[in-house]
Amino acid sequence: MLTIGRFAPSPTGPLHFGSLVAATASYLAARQAGGNWLLRIEDLDKPREQPGAADVIIQTLRHYGFEWDGDILYQSQRHEAYRAALAVLQEHTYACTRSRKGLPTLPSIRLRTHNAPICFSDSIQGYYCQCLTRDVGDFVLLRADGLFAYQLAVVVDDAFQGVNQVVRGADLLDNTPRQIFLQQLLGFTQPTYAHVPLVLNEHGQKLSKQNLAPALNTSARLQTLVSALRFLGQTCPDASEFATLSNLWDWAIAHWDISTIRHSQA
């Protein structure tokens, strides 16, 4: 079976080093398996979107030598697919007109959960289980402001694109049981999962656009990629050993070893 991986950034700002680490891991895992690697822009949350960020993300990935297969998928163009999935889930959902703080609000659509453990084996973090009712509760599929929730969109789009290998940051590890639950209800095949450790700043916070992580420097690409590979536990030569980005990617694909990544979430 052809391996299909993906990288799915949100256009809330430019890519930073943590983004590069996640993109690199997903790219190498797919390419070493002889598979396809897709690019998806998760632009559902318009209030948080930064104008022009999607184009900047795409250009940065090109500068770093990433090559994706097929067209870029934009979630903002996929509303009909999410509505169709919500209709299939109708018997498992209900309208919720109160917020978690008990204050009246517009209705959202929530999915009923159960307490049977949902478990999976993560290629980096190991065996992971969650009881949704106890640990998460009923979760939102359609927000009160009319926006589809990440959990629904990511499951629908992974199935639509045939994604069977998900490699991403460990901040999404505890989201995975919710997504597996949705896959089960919708009759979708479950991908394999690997959650790479998060890059932290000097304050111990996850590198993120919200924490003002600096944008990737496209003038020091070889050295930055070497740093990303070493963060991912790969024994990579110095940047001076590679004449071009293409040489570095060829080496990285040939030598990729997911088993050397630290079994930690940060």
Side-chain angles (χ1 to χ4, degrees):
M1 179 172 56
L2 179 69
T3 296
I4 302 178
R6 49 77 163 175
F7 179 56
S10 299
T12 54
L15 295 181
H16 50 73
F17 185 71
S19 314
L20 180 67
V21 165
T24 299
S26 66
Y27 188 73
L28 293 177
R31 292 304 192 212
Q32 191 185 70
N36 289 347
W37 187 75
L38 311 178
L39 177 59
R40 181 166 75 224
I41 301 297
E42 298 196 334
D43 56 346
L44 277 181
D45 196 344
K46 291 299 179 184
R48 294 181 59 240
E49 186 174 337
Q50 187 179 105
D55 290 337
V56 171
I57 287 170
I58 292 164
Q59 281 300 108
T60 302
L61 290 171
R62 286 197 176 112
H63 279 307
Y64 272 84
F66 289 93
E67 298 177 350
W68 47 90
D69 297 283
D71 295 331
I72 300 170
L73 186 75
Y74 291 83
Q75 286 191 330
S76 58
Q77 300 172 5
R78 298 271 299 148
H79 288 189
E80 286 302 318
Y82 308 143
R83 272 190 280 272
L86 201 57
V88 172
L89 294 166
Q90 187 172 4
E91 66 179 283
H92 304 284
T93 63
Y94 62 93
C96 179
T97 56
R98 297 189 72 82
S99 72
R100 288 185 180 274
K101 295 181 180 179
L103 301 174
T105 185
L106 295 170
S108 61
I109 303 296
R110 288 182 179 269
L111 184 71
R112 291 188 187 88
T113 58
H114 58 64
N115 246 342
I118 294 181
C119 306
F120 69 100
S121 182
D122 188 272
S123 299
I124 297 171
Q125 304 297 336
Y127 197 63
Y128 186 86
C129 283
Q130 204 175 66
C131 295
L132 290 179
T133 300
R134 181 193 68 198
D135 300 332
V136 177
D138 298 346
F139 57 93
V140 172
L141 300 182
L142 181 67
R143 289 169 25 178
D145 58 7
L147 296 178
F148 289 98
Y150 163 76
Q151 306 295 354
L152 179 66
V154 71
V155 166
V156 170
D157 287 340
D158 279 346
F160 173 72
Q161 294 187 287
V163 171
N164 52 28
Q165 181 192 73
V166 174
V167 181
R168 59 189 180 185
D171 54 327
L172 293 170
L173 179 66
D174 65 356
N175 284 232
T176 307
R178 275 170 277 178
Q179 293 165 19
I180 292 173
F181 184 45
L182 279 168
Q183 289 158 6
Q184 293 170 349
L185 293 177
L186 290 166
F188 296 158
T189 301
Q190 180 182 320
T192 63
Y193 288 97
H195 289 83
V196 301
L198 301 177
V199 182
L200 306 181
N201 64 19
E202 64 272 21
H203 304 295
Q205 302 167 317
K206 170 200 165 188
L207 272 192
S208 69
K209 297 154 192 172
Q210 290 80 11
N211 290 328
L212 305 179
L216 283 173
N217 182 353
T218 56
S219 65
R221 291 167 291 177
L222 283 169
Q223 184 56 59
T224 307
L225 266 176
V226 167
S227 296
L229 287 165
R230 289 176 175 172
F231 179 87
L232 289 165
Q234 310 305 297
T235 307
C236 185
D238 292 336
S240 60
E241 298 296 315
F242 302 102
T244 65
L245 273 174
S246 181
N247 294 149
L248 175 50
W249 280 122
D250 288 345
W251 180 93
I253 292 169
H255 294 84
W256 173 248
D257 183 358
I258 200 169
S259 70
T260 64
I261 299 176
R262 295 190 309 277
H263 297 179
S264 64
Q265 293 186 38

